[in-house]
Amino acid sequence: MIHQTWKDSATIKKVKCVHTDAKKYMVNRVLTEGKTYEVKNETEEFLFVVDNSGKIGGFYKEYFEEVE
């Protein structure tokens, strides 16, 4: 149940949203193009970030680029 403590865990890295043009889901409600988000967990396909709702959401990596 590690997902219950993600919000309080340390940020792994920061990413910038490059687009919200989702083919299947409506991500423009919780992501803003050009905004920087904190990554709390990462898998091969997804990034788990604190989205605009203030909660952790899992999104495809294609929506983001890494910020240094």
Side-chain angles (χ1 to χ4, degrees):
M1 297 217 163
I2 192 171
H3 67 280
Q4 293 180 342
T5 60
W6 280 349
K7 190 167 183 178
D8 300 326
S9 65
T11 300
I12 297 172
K13 60 183 174 183
K14 292 193 178 195
V15 292
K16 180 179 174 183
C17 180
V18 291
H19 73 84
T20 57
D21 300 326
K23 296 174 185 140
K24 189 173 182 181
Y25 303 103
M26 296 184 72
V27 297
N28 60 352
R29 294 180 181 177
V30 290
L31 294 178
T32 303
E33 191 173 333
K35 186 174 177 182
T36 302
Y37 295 93
E38 296 180 351
V39 177
K40 296 298 186 172
N41 195 19
E42 181 176 8
T43 65
E44 190 173 310
E45 192 175 4
F46 296 100
L47 291 175
F48 294 88
V49 302
V50 179
D51 61 23
N52 294 347
S53 69
K55 298 178 182 177
I56 300 291
F59 302 96
Y60 287 114
K61 289 183 176 182
E62 69 184 55
Y63 301 124
F64 304 99
E65 67 180 15
E66 288 194 34
V67 175
E68 293 183 27

